[in-house]
Amino acid sequence: MELSGDLKCLSPAELRLLFRRNDSGIIKTTGLAEGYMQANVAILPNHLADDFEAFCQSNPASLPLLYRSQSGETSCPPLARHADISPADTLLMTDMSQYCVYEKGQLMKTVSSLQSYTDQARNASDQQDVHHGHQWSDMVCFYLGCSFGFEGRLKTSGVPIRNVEQGRNVSMYRTAVPCIPAGVFSCPVVVSMRPVPAEKLDAAVEVSHLSPLSHGAPIHIGEPAVLGILDLCRPDYGDRLELQPGDVPVFWACGVTAIQAIRSTKPSLAFSHSPGSMFLTDIPDSPTSTISTPSDSRNTPYIEPNPGLIPLCILVSHKPLLYSLASQRAVSRIRDLEKIIGEDPGQRGIQVLCTQDELLRSSLALSHSSSVAITTGFPTHYMHSPPDVTDGPPGAIAMATMLLSLGKQVTMVTDRRALEMNQALIDEAVKTGVLKTAIPLVTFEDCGPDAALHFLCHHGDPSKPRYDHLVAIERSGRAEDGNYYNMRGVNIKHLVDPIDDLFIAAKDIPGIITTGIGDGGNELGMGKLKETVKNLMPNGTLIACDVPADYAITAGVSNWGGYAVACGLYLLHTCPSHQRYLKKGLGEETPAPQEQLRDWIANLPSVDKEESFLSTLVRFGIRSGKTAHLAMEVDGLTFHPTHSDIITRLLEVTQGSTSQNP
């Protein structure tokens, strides 16, 4: 329905008066009362009220509680003026455009007023509500924030409001994401979707983040199937919206989750707003607004958000389309990590390969992952046994132990020739406390055209991947001619298994992201930078890896890239904005428990742990890459002071404060 300019100019109080008189012709409130908060409403029997309040507190993004009434109260003084009026003309009963009536969880009808329910209760001789034995005085009203409130500020920020442009209600969907249950209440999260141009995503995120009681920042941006939404053209509530070229679907937690809770719990009688027909409050939707509540602690005051927590929106993946959120401060620190590892004390000229934010995007993708496969191994010293180098395994173990600490599954993939040695290295790393716990170590063999697909996916089914992220660090990469070369241009193909095939196959499997970490351009995954390597690196036309990764992290020494990934993961998991996004807004927004935080800190790389593991490598006969020295050095750089200094500086950036990082 196209709204007239006159209606758009009316205040919330004036619009409520029109609803009360039932002469407005308005059904949906999107685009109305711009700049003011709107509210979802759920009305439940008293005996369910405490459980529902706990349900709201456990799912604050979906159900931001603005006000809980007393039993039988139909006004809401903190939210709207003129609330102290007689029961015959009560605010809640008449001041929304449309209400839903539920009996045993079933929608029975929609009505323009609930006045008849209070009238029947007053007129019943036994003072009992004729509907299922409930008195109206036994009903409790919950007012929950709504995303319609911040649409005005979205518009002011240059974000088009497609639902208003198209004269439609916003699209709302049941997801496959379960709410955190509380008492008798449990149901899936419901989300609203607004198409947003990709270049306006940061503005949309910032505006909504600053409205935490209107659902706050989005809980998902990108592919609908990630939420279990199979068809955007078929919303469960509201209207279908048309995406314009360049639009990205953006999903906010939605107060219609309360309706799902009513339908799942099946109370004998309950009421709600009709989706899209909201209660219009007198509270401005502004970061500086407050809601003055009575002394009853059950009502939720507005808490002004910390500007330092404003998130940025970063593209993580095209397959499936996925954006992630992280605070500006966390992003800045990860960029500082990237600058440190991009230093080139060995003067190899690697700065030409450095690309900003590859570390950030890879760390975000790993943060979203659940099962990660890591591979390393560069047998450059073909004349020695073992031929491997001290660059690679320390960085791989540093990433693995942080991922394990964060609850991810981790698998190591290695060459058959190095299986026994790498198993012994893993065992020793666990024994000395460098690695949190033992991890599976596997090999990959090319035993047919579908070998990589069967390795990566259960039963070779691309819809059922075993891993959602592959990481190669200082892993020899296949060149354009099919051979594998060290930096001197020596072919070492006879020492390398075709693990590159996994990265090639992953390109066609939705849901698997790949990262390559290298310091010369001949490492697996650095094919993303192939042309630069060919043109600017020594022997580049011969040695350049031909196999790309989604993200190519360049470091002065590859191990440093692994250390930086571990630090980046720590920063993201101590970033409230990112954690809220990861958890889809579920659970109370509280810092990680101190015990968990201590475990994460303990699993960061440290000078002591990395020195210990390097000494283990030397004891196993593994040599420095550049010099072939059997000594405490990596790529010709001694552990002290070069590597120890880099680790120290990475930790200083990562642990810049003793409290959790915004």
Side-chain angles (χ1 to χ4, degrees):
M1 179 187 70
E2 189 70 28
L3 296 172
S4 71
D6 290 342
L7 287 174
K8 289 183 178 181
C9 294
L10 294 180
S11 70
E14 291 169 327
L15 288 164
R16 291 196 304 270
L17 183 60
L18 289 178
F19 296 153
R20 194 178 311 163
R21 293 172 177 170
N22 198 26
D23 63 0
S24 68
I26 301 169
I27 299 298
K28 306 306 178 187
T29 58
T30 181
L32 292 177
E34 275 192 9
Y36 289 89
M37 294 177 68
Q38 300 193 27
N40 303 268
V41 174
I43 307 170
L44 296 161
N46 182 287
H47 72 277
L48 297 177
D50 286 347
D51 279 0
F52 189 73
E53 181 175 351
F55 189 58
C56 294
Q57 291 170 345
S58 296
N59 301 278
S62 298
L63 304 168
L65 183 56
L66 304 180
Y67 184 72
R68 169 184 168 169
S69 78
Q70 301 296 322
S71 296
E73 181 185 15
T74 55
S75 60
C76 48
L79 304 181
R81 297 185 296 274
H82 312 303
D84 295 327
I85 48 183
S86 68
D89 194 22
T90 50
L91 197 65
L92 176 65
M93 298 301 98
T94 59
D95 284 16
M96 292 196 302
S97 61
Q98 200 168 58
Y99 304 79
C100 293
V101 181
Y102 300 90
E103 295 180 8
K104 296 182 179 179
Q106 295 297 313
L107 174 63
M108 304 306 293
K109 56 185 173 181
T110 58
V111 296
S112 60
S113 170
L114 298 181
Q115 192 69 55
S116 63
Y117 289 87
T118 55
D119 290 342
Q120 291 173 48
R122 286 195 303 274
N123 295 333
S125 59
D126 60 357
Q127 298 301 305
Q128 292 281 318
D129 188 343
V130 296
H131 292 273
H132 309 285
H134 282 296
Q135 291 183 333
W136 184 263
S137 60
D138 290 335
M139 304 300 282
V140 177
C141 307
F142 291 87
Y143 300 79
L144 309 160
C146 171
S147 58
F148 285 178
F150 59 62
E151 285 184 340
R153 288 197 294 117
L154 285 178
K155 183 178 176 181
T156 301
S157 298
V159 180
I161 313 301
R162 300 294 189 212
N163 49 300
V164 175
E165 289 178 352
Q166 297 171 24
R168 300 176 184 178
N169 193 4
V170 73
S171 301
M172 292 163 274
Y173 305 85
R174 282 190 301 270
T175 71
V177 179
C179 287
I180 295 177
V184 300
F185 289 96
S186 63
C187 69
V189 171
V190 175
V191 293
S192 63
M193 188 281 293
R194 290 170 178 80
V196 176
E199 68 274 13
K200 298 293 185 180
L201 288 173
D202 275 330
V205 168
E206 179 173 348
V207 165
S208 54
H209 167 79
L210 293 174
S211 296
L213 292 184
S214 297
H215 301 300
I219 62 170
H220 177 63
I221 302 173
E223 172 59 49
V226 172
L227 295 175
I229 299 169
L230 302 182
D231 188 354
L232 272 187
C233 295
R234 300 178 63 183
D236 297 292
Y237 303 93
D239 299 326
R240 172 185 172 181
L241 296 178
E242 303 292 338
L243 275 72
Q244 303 303 308
D247 281 354
V248 176
V250 180
F251 299 89
W252 280 268
C254 179
V256 174
T257 301
I259 292 176
Q260 281 298 125
I262 289 171
R263 301 182 74 161
S264 298
T265 308
K266 298 179 174 60
S268 56
L269 179 67
F271 309 95
S272 77
H273 71 292
S274 178
S277 303
M278 318 309 294
F279 181 78
L280 304 178
T281 80
D282 295 331
I283 307 301
D285 180 69
S286 165
T288 59
S289 293
T290 58
I291 296 175
S292 299
T293 63
S295 58
D296 189 340
S297 63
R298 295 174 304 181
N299 298 311
T300 305
Y302 188 97
I303 300 174
E304 184 176 353
N306 183 340
L309 299 182
I310 293 174
L312 296 173
C313 183
I314 299 105
L315 176 64
V316 171
S317 168
H318 288 285
K319 58 174 187 67
L321 182 64
L322 175 65
Y323 289 80
S324 191
L325 304 184
S327 72
Q328 294 179 14
R329 188 176 180 190
V331 168
S332 176
R333 289 186 178 190
I334 293 173
R335 287 172 174 164
D336 287 343
L337 297 177
E338 191 170 59
K339 290 176 185 176
I340 292 172
I341 66 171
E343 294 177 9
D344 189 16
Q347 298 183 334
R348 302 176 66 179
I350 58 95
Q351 275 95 351
V352 296
L353 303 181
C354 294
T355 306
Q356 185 180 18
D357 288 343
E358 295 291 280
L359 174 63
L360 173 63
R361 297 178 195 278
S362 175
S363 297
L364 284 165
L366 284 164
S367 183
H368 281 270
S369 70
S370 58
S371 180
V372 181
I374 302 174
T375 185
T376 189
F378 208 121
T380 193
H381 299 308
Y382 57 93
M383 72 295 290
H384 293 285
S385 181
D388 302 270
V389 297
T390 51
D391 196 12
I397 293 296
M399 289 187 289
T401 198
M402 178 53 70
L403 289 165
L404 289 171
S405 181
L406 299 176
K408 318 291 188 184
Q409 296 180 11
V410 181
T411 301
M412 294 286 287
V413 186
T414 190
D415 300 293
R416 286 166 294 172
R417 63 160 184 83
L419 181 62
E420 183 177 345
M421 178 188 72
N422 280 314
Q423 185 62 64
L425 287 172
I426 289 173
D427 293 343
E428 186 68 14
V430 173
K431 180 180 176 182
T432 57
V434 175
L435 180 62
K436 183 177 176 66
T437 188
I439 54 177
L441 179 67
V442 300
T443 61
F444 168 71
E445 300 179 38
D446 183 6
C447 52
D450 294 327
L453 182 63
H454 281 271
F455 183 95
L456 293 173
C457 302
H458 296 285
H459 311 296
D461 183 349
S463 69
K464 298 177 181 178
R466 286 189 176 89
Y467 313 103
D468 43 28
H469 205 126
L470 308 180
V471 183
I473 177 169
E474 191 64 18
R475 168 77 196 176
S476 43
R478 185 181 300 156
E480 201 169 49
D481 63 4
N483 292 317
Y484 297 80
Y485 296 98
N486 64 19
M487 290 298 289
R488 298 178 182 86
V490 176
N491 185 3
I492 52 175
K493 182 177 181 178
H494 61 291
L495 297 171
V496 181
D497 288 347
I499 292 173
D500 305 65
D501 290 349
L502 302 180
F503 280 64
I504 295 170
K507 288 190 294 184
D508 298 321
I509 303 174
I512 302 182
I513 296 175
T514 56
T515 292
I517 303 175
D519 56 17
N522 58 344
E523 301 88 358
L524 176 55
M526 301 300 280
K528 183 177 183 180
L529 306 172
K530 179 175 67 174
E531 294 307 315
T532 304
V533 174
K534 283 184 172 183
N535 292 331
L536 299 176
M537 296 300 291
N539 293 323
T541 55
L542 176 66
I543 70 170
C545 177
D546 192 49
V547 180
D550 295 311
Y551 301 113
I553 299 171
T554 303
V557 174
S558 294
N559 282 341
W560 301 350
Y563 303 153
V565 166
C567 293
L569 286 167
Y570 174 87
L571 286 168
L572 291 173
H573 279 257
T574 52
C575 169
S577 299
H578 181 68
Q579 285 304 294
R580 178 187 182 276
Y581 189 80
L582 273 186
K583 296 188 295 184
K584 306 293 188 290
L586 300 174
E588 296 186 42
E589 295 181 30
T590 56
Q594 285 300 310
E595 182 179 352
Q596 187 177 62
L597 192 60
R598 284 194 293 270
D599 184 65
W600 294 346
I601 292 171
N603 284 283
L604 284 168
S606 71
V607 171
D608 288 345
K609 286 195 298 183
E610 301 314 316
E611 186 173 23
S612 169
F613 191 56
L614 180 57
S615 68
T616 298
L617 296 178
V618 173
R619 194 168 71 250
F620 275 68
I622 298 173
R623 299 169 181 269
S624 174
K626 188 174 183 180
T627 65
H629 291 165
L630 194 59
M632 293 291 288
E633 67 176 49
V634 181
D635 282 348
L637 303 170
T638 57
F639 186 81
H640 291 290
T642 305
H643 300 284
S644 60
D645 177 65
I646 291 289
I647 295 166
T648 299
R649 290 165 59 200
L650 292 174
L651 291 174
E652 287 173 350
V653 169
T654 304
Q655 298 177 272
S657 65
T658 56
S659 60
Q660 295 215 350
N661 301 306

